[in-house]
Amino acid sequence: MQSGMELHILDHKVYVISVEKEAIPIVTHALVKLALLYKHTNCRFFSYTETCDDFSVIVDEDGYQEIPKHEKVKVQPNLWRVLNVAVGAYATNKVSGLTKIAKSVILPLADYHVSVFCMSTYQTDFILVKEDELDIAIECLSANFKVFQEKDGETLPVPSPHATDEDKLLDPGTPRPIVHPFIVPLNRFSIRSLHPETLPTVSCALLEIMFYGNSLQSSLQDGHDRFFSYSVVDGEISLVMDNETLSKFPRNTLFGSTEGECWRMIRIGEIGRASCRERV
């Protein structure tokens, strides 16, 4: 077992939703409420992401009640559970960085054929697994992690339902086959946050970017990809955006990335995106 490493199963149960580009007016009212007026809702986990392809929304059960039902608003049938890696007993020190998480969490789950959905924020990284695969994920990871679960404000230890099947796990250094093609767009991205009290100051910029951002649309043909992410998790706000989008915000309203630090995106086929960091 990795010394001091803990896996926390958060209390959130979330839906993953895809909204077609032309359908954004259908959900605009709900997204404005969840993004900017979240204190007036019971939603504690909300994420909005725009790419060239669609809008993706990850939202907990309370937030899901705000989303209109429509044929162009596609909801994955599974509920997803939210995992987070931390250090120390009942830790608050969260481990950030998909490189570390990939080796310790994502690769073993892949060996167990457990689907994952990764979500990065300024504060930490989350790993989502389907609720009906949660027991399998616990079985897989309990050999290397102490597993805890949030329940009604308490953090409780979780026993593994079965011993980890070591025969299924490859050594972390073992190369895996490249199953999906990937490209690296030219955009350079920043990961930022803001204090909730600053939200009214940046609300106009956020509304323009989220709902009137066609002028910022980049095409893959010129080597760039459209990507903007805004999330509110337990009252903590995070934004991921390229430098062009960052320039839309008033100066000194966002805080975050070390000066000169940028991130590059890896687009994996048509199924997802990941990030890696470089200094420029």
Side-chain angles (χ1 to χ4, degrees):
M1 181 174 294
Q2 299 185 40
S3 177
M5 296 294 286
E6 297 180 357
L7 186 76
H8 287 242
I9 305 166
L10 306 187
D11 212 12
H12 309 291
K13 297 180 181 182
V14 300
Y15 291 89
V16 177
I17 303 167
S18 173
V19 181
E20 296 180 18
K21 282 283 188 171
E22 64 273 18
I24 191 64
I26 297 168
V27 295
T28 296
H29 181 272
L31 295 181
V32 169
K33 185 175 181 180
L34 293 168
L36 303 182
L37 303 173
Y38 61 89
K39 292 183 180 179
H40 298 282
T41 74
N42 293 319
C43 182
R44 295 174 51 222
F45 196 107
F46 168 76
S47 173
Y48 160 100
T49 301
E50 182 190 359
T51 69
C52 289
D53 304 314
D54 67 355
F55 300 92
S56 295
V57 177
I58 304 173
V59 68
D60 65 18
E61 293 174 294
D62 287 316
Y64 178 68
Q65 302 305 315
E66 304 285 346
I67 304 295
K69 310 304 182 284
H70 193 276
E71 62 181 5
K72 294 186 177 181
V73 180
K74 298 180 174 63
V75 183
Q76 289 201 6
N78 305 89
L79 273 172
W80 294 70
R81 298 303 301 269
V82 183
L83 313 181
N84 179 251
V85 177
V87 181
Y90 299 94
T92 57
N93 295 324
K94 300 170 183 175
V95 176
S96 183
L98 283 180
T99 299
K100 297 177 183 177
I101 292 176
K103 289 182 178 179
S104 59
V105 179
I106 300 174
L107 288 181
L109 290 176
D111 293 338
Y112 257 68
H113 303 289
V114 174
S115 301
V116 300
F117 191 109
C118 296
M119 175 182 154
S120 294
T121 69
Y122 175 79
Q123 292 79 17
T124 189
D125 295 299
F126 299 105
I127 308 103
L128 279 59
V129 301
K130 295 176 182 177
E131 185 171 43
D132 58 9
E133 294 183 335
L134 181 60
D135 285 346
I136 302 174
I138 293 172
E139 174 188 329
C140 169
L141 299 172
S142 59
N144 292 317
F145 291 90
K146 296 177 181 177
V147 182
F148 296 89
Q149 181 165 0
E150 288 184 1
K151 189 171 181 63
D152 299 327
E154 294 187 75
T155 303
L156 306 173
V158 177
S160 173
H162 304 284
T164 303
D165 186 348
E166 300 288 348
D167 293 336
K168 292 184 179 180
L169 301 177
L170 300 177
D171 184 89
T174 302
R176 269 70 169 180
I178 297 176
V179 179
H180 302 281
F182 63 87
I183 60 173
V184 182
L186 297 177
N187 314 52
R188 287 175 166 81
F189 293 87
S190 295
I191 301 178
R192 300 296 176 103
S193 185
L194 61 89
H195 194 280
E197 293 181 359
T198 311
L199 198 53
T201 306
V202 303
S203 59
C204 286
L206 275 172
L207 290 171
E208 177 187 349
I209 293 164
M210 292 175 69
F211 305 114
Y212 304 97
N214 289 337
S215 61
L216 299 176
Q217 182 75 32
S218 297
S219 66
L220 289 172
Q221 284 71 27
D222 66 6
H224 293 75
D225 196 356
R226 172 69 175 156
F227 185 91
F228 174 76
S229 178
Y230 173 90
S231 62
V232 185
V233 179
D234 291 326
E236 295 184 321
I237 300 173
S238 175
L239 306 95
V240 183
M241 71 201 102
D242 62 17
N243 291 337
E244 183 180 359
T245 305
L246 180 61
S247 68
K248 295 288 182 179
F249 287 89
R251 292 178 60 85
N252 302 319
T253 54
L254 307 180
F255 60 86
S257 301
T258 304
E259 185 176 355
E261 179 180 84
C262 289
W263 293 72
R264 296 289 298 276
M265 181 203 310
I266 300 172
R267 177 167 178 160
I268 305 170
E270 295 300 324
I271 62 170
R273 292 159 172 79
S275 300
C276 62
R277 179 168 55 189
E278 67 171 16
R279 293 185 182 274
V280 294

